[in-house]
Amino acid sequence: METTLRGVGVSHGVAIGEVRHMGTAVLEPPAKQIPAEEAEREQSRARQAVEAVAADLIARGNLAGGEAQHVLEAQAMMAQDPELIADVERRIAVGSTAERGVYDAFASYRALLAGAGEYLAGRVADLDDVRNRIVARLLGVPMPGVPDSDEPYVLIARDLAPADTALLDPALVLGFVTEEGGPTSHSAILARALGVPAVVALPGAGELAEGTLIAVDGSTGEIFVEPSAAKRAEMESAAAARKAALSASTGPGATSDGHKVPLLANVGGPGDVPAAVEAGAEGVGLFRTEFLFLDDSTQAPSEEKQIAAYRAVLEAFPEGRVVVRVLDAGADKPLDFLTPADEPNPALGVRGLRSLLDHPDVLRTQLTALSKAAEGLPVYLEVMAPMVADRADAKAFADACRAAGLNAKFGAMVEIPSAALRARSVLQEVEFLSLGTNDLAQYTFAADRQVGAVSRLQDPWQPALLDLVAMSAEAAKAEGKSCGVCGEAASDPLLACVLTGLGVTSLSMGAASIPYVRTTLAKYTLAQCERAASAARATESAEEARLAAQAVLSGE
């Protein structure tokens, strides 16, 4: 009998197939004691397993490229954390086996992360995956992960570690459903990059029996269990029509009455550029530069290395706009040479621009490298600072850009509610705003973007978040400046129309979402988008806002 479940749709498309479950987690190793003379051998086993897992994660990242590579390299750094390895060796020295020492050391570190504030708590799933891989190697059992199958399937998991999501084969994995996660979790972001339909934050997903036929709608978040033939035909027909419309959609982003809304791509490095170009991106709205700094957490990359990487991206968009975010370190992206190690709550501490202003040499080198990378190119370079809180932050960044001789527009990311509330003040110092809706939602609602239990508060349709977007866009219009969105909210085609109606001047997203947004935006006039935006803001919940906007745009 057909039943319907609802989670959070995070990656567009329809998947119909049988359920396969993620491989089970590694069992807890027995707590047996070893003789003192075996300690050195067990310590060597532990170190070898750690290095092998780190190498495997890096290799997976190199294969995957793009955003996935940066996430996996961060996991490899986690595996090789010197303090964590030292703790493992201390436990082995007093009698633990290698696998038990790893298990207990990671459990202790896990407890620290879980209690270190919501943002760092979101890294627990990544830490658990690293632990499971090391313990599995020591025990000589298969790695936990994606099941082996010769037939396409829909993957079900409690949560997906980046190492698993990064190498999903779209030819076999039709889509995936997780119990945990949120719309801006690593898994959701990587699913959109892969173009795999996905639904997250679906309680009870793990109870779906192996082999059960389900239909997944990655746009609405609906899961149809044992769908009827009529329901399958309806979904397949709708998916085919959508695919045909996407193929026919080309050119710049615009509403049906010609109001231009540039559609840009979010990229993490040169590896993401081909997909962005193929999708017809009009430029880059968010170039995350962290990937260069993850290779070595002890020192910043040289100016020469930075110039080469930046130029590779800038050259791909001649005459296009490329917006570069300077290094956003701290919180879940700690760097030994830059971020404090003893902050009680790093998400609310020295993060982003704050850490760069504390290390002006790192910021100066990056700005100089960007300036040199753009020399002689016809690209429109714009550079923005992360985590800007007020006018003083904006001024400090603009002053640093001028001091470095940067020939570009300077901007500020709006991720902290204070920057939205005082956007007109911030715009006295910079030339544009870019809304990072992922962190803006996180800080507005005190809801960690990695925690599925608070996913309703991470929903970018929340009216309070729409109010902050509107305030920022209105301030930019009053100052004659631009205000884009580079957070994951822009990848939702319906919400893209609402953001346009709120006055946002450009939208940036993962490359796979660009055709969906372009096609949907072209169906409606600017006036319709404005009416949908007003209707959404007049509601009291994210779901009501979504339904209100749908009603306006469908003419109901």
Side-chain angles (χ1 to χ4, degrees):
M1 179 180 177
E2 180 179 312
T3 57
T4 304
L5 306 174
R6 183 182 287 276
V8 178
V10 296
S11 185
H12 307 298
V14 169
I16 302 174
E18 293 187 355
V19 163
R20 295 286 184 275
H21 286 270
M22 178 67 76
T24 55
V26 177
L27 296 175
E28 180 177 348
K32 65 180 182 181
Q33 291 289 108
I34 60 169
E37 59 268 21
E38 293 183 15
E40 188 174 339
R41 179 178 67 85
E42 290 296 286
Q43 288 172 338
S44 177
R45 285 182 65 226
R47 286 193 296 271
Q48 290 173 7
V50 165
E51 290 304 317
V53 166
D56 178 62
L57 289 168
I58 291 171
R60 284 169 176 257
N62 290 336
L63 283 173
E67 181 70 28
Q69 183 173 3
H70 316 148
V71 173
L72 292 173
E73 286 173 349
Q75 266 198 301
M77 287 169 55
M78 185 182 288
Q80 296 170 304
D81 183 285
E83 290 187 16
L84 195 52
I85 293 172
D87 190 19
V88 170
E89 295 189 344
R90 280 194 296 270
R91 292 171 189 274
I92 293 173
V94 295
S96 288
T97 61
E99 44 266 46
R100 187 70 206 193
V102 168
Y103 189 90
D104 288 341
F106 272 72
S108 177
Y109 192 34
R110 188 186 199 280
L112 288 174
L113 278 185
E118 292 181 349
Y119 204 97
L120 275 182
R123 300 308 302 274
V124 164
D126 293 0
L127 184 70
D128 287 348
D129 180 60
V130 172
R131 176 204 64 200
N132 290 346
R133 290 174 184 278
I134 297 172
V135 172
R137 183 170 290 274
L138 288 166
L139 292 174
V141 301
M143 290 284 178
V146 178
D148 291 327
S149 175
D150 296 327
E151 298 296 324
Y153 58 90
V154 177
L155 181 63
I156 306 292
R158 178 166 184 175
D159 201 356
L160 280 172
D164 297 315
T165 317
L167 296 185
L168 290 180
D169 181 354
L172 284 177
V173 182
L174 302 172
F176 66 75
V177 181
T178 67
E179 294 190 55
E180 296 293 327
T184 59
S185 65
H186 282 152
S187 293
I189 293 171
L190 293 176
R192 286 188 283 270
L194 288 166
V196 176
V199 172
V200 301
L202 179 67
E207 297 172 14
L208 291 168
E210 189 87 359
T212 302
L213 182 68
I214 65 172
V216 179
D217 189 326
S219 299
T220 65
E222 291 175 305
I223 308 292
F224 301 95
V225 182
E226 299 290 2
S228 65
K231 172 58 74 175
R232 294 200 301 272
E234 174 191 332
M235 294 182 71
E236 287 169 349
S237 175
R242 184 183 299 168
K243 185 175 181 180
L246 292 175
S247 299
S249 172
T250 58
T255 59
S256 62
D257 57 340
H259 175 73
K260 293 182 178 180
V261 186
L263 302 181
L264 313 171
N266 293 344
V267 304
D272 291 338
V273 168
V277 172
E278 185 179 351
E282 298 169 59
V284 172
L286 172 62
F287 178 8
R288 304 179 182 95
T289 58
E290 290 78 52
F291 80 101
L292 273 173
F293 293 78
L294 293 175
D295 291 339
D296 184 353
S297 69
T298 63
Q299 61 181 354
S302 68
E303 182 179 304
E304 291 71 24
K305 183 177 180 179
Q306 292 189 52
I307 291 170
Y310 302 150
R311 194 169 180 90
V313 174
L314 296 175
E315 286 177 334
F317 295 95
E319 306 293 340
R321 176 186 179 200
V322 175
V323 184
V324 179
R325 180 179 71 190
V326 294
L327 176 62
D328 183 14
D332 70 334
K333 293 172 284 190
L335 293 171
D336 294 345
F337 69 90
L338 197 67
T339 49
D342 56 353
E343 287 186 299
N345 191 341
L348 302 179
V350 183
R351 179 190 169 191
L353 179 62
R354 298 167 186 173
S355 62
L356 290 175
L357 294 177
D358 280 352
H359 298 80
D361 55 324
V362 175
L363 177 58
R364 182 169 52 252
T365 298
Q366 185 170 27
L367 294 174
T368 301
L370 283 165
S371 180
K372 292 180 179 179
E375 285 178 2
L377 297 179
V379 69
Y380 296 95
L381 177 63
E382 301 185 13
V383 182
M384 61 185 181
M387 304 301 291
V388 170
D390 56 14
R391 182 173 179 174
D393 278 352
K395 183 179 187 305
F397 178 66
D399 287 346
C401 289
R402 281 188 284 267
L406 187 62
N407 182 24
K409 285 187 176 181
F410 320 141
M413 289 198 71
V414 178
E415 301 164 283
I416 301 173
S418 61
L421 294 168
R422 301 286 293 177
R424 198 158 182 181
S425 173
V426 169
L427 283 164
Q428 303 309 304
E429 304 295 341
V430 292
E431 298 171 82
F432 68 94
L433 300 177
S434 185
L435 288 144
T437 52
N438 306 355
D439 271 324
L440 185 57
Q442 176 170 250
Y443 289 118
T444 298
F445 296 103
D448 192 305
R449 54 194 282 192
Q450 296 289 102
V451 178
V454 292
S455 62
R456 78 172 185 86
L457 295 172
Q458 302 154 354
D459 193 324
W461 281 94
Q462 284 284 355
L465 188 66
L466 299 181
D467 287 344
L468 292 174
V469 173
M471 293 178 71
S472 302
E474 289 164 4
K477 183 178 180 180
E479 293 295 327
K481 297 179 179 180
S482 63
C483 177
V485 168
C486 65
E488 292 301 316
S491 66
D492 179 335
L494 183 63
L495 185 50
C497 295
V498 168
L499 295 172
T500 299
L502 292 174
V504 166
T505 55
S506 65
L507 299 166
S508 189
M509 64 209 76
S513 298
I514 291 175
Y516 289 93
V517 173
R518 182 193 292 120
T519 302
T520 305
L521 198 59
K523 294 178 181 178
Y524 307 108
T525 65
L526 177 59
Q528 286 176 300
C529 293
E530 289 171 341
R531 289 197 294 273
S534 295
R537 289 183 68 190
T539 63
E540 298 297 331
S541 71
E543 183 60 22
E544 289 176 5
R546 185 183 291 106
L547 292 174
Q550 283 178 332
V552 170
L553 294 177
S554 63
E556 296 177 10

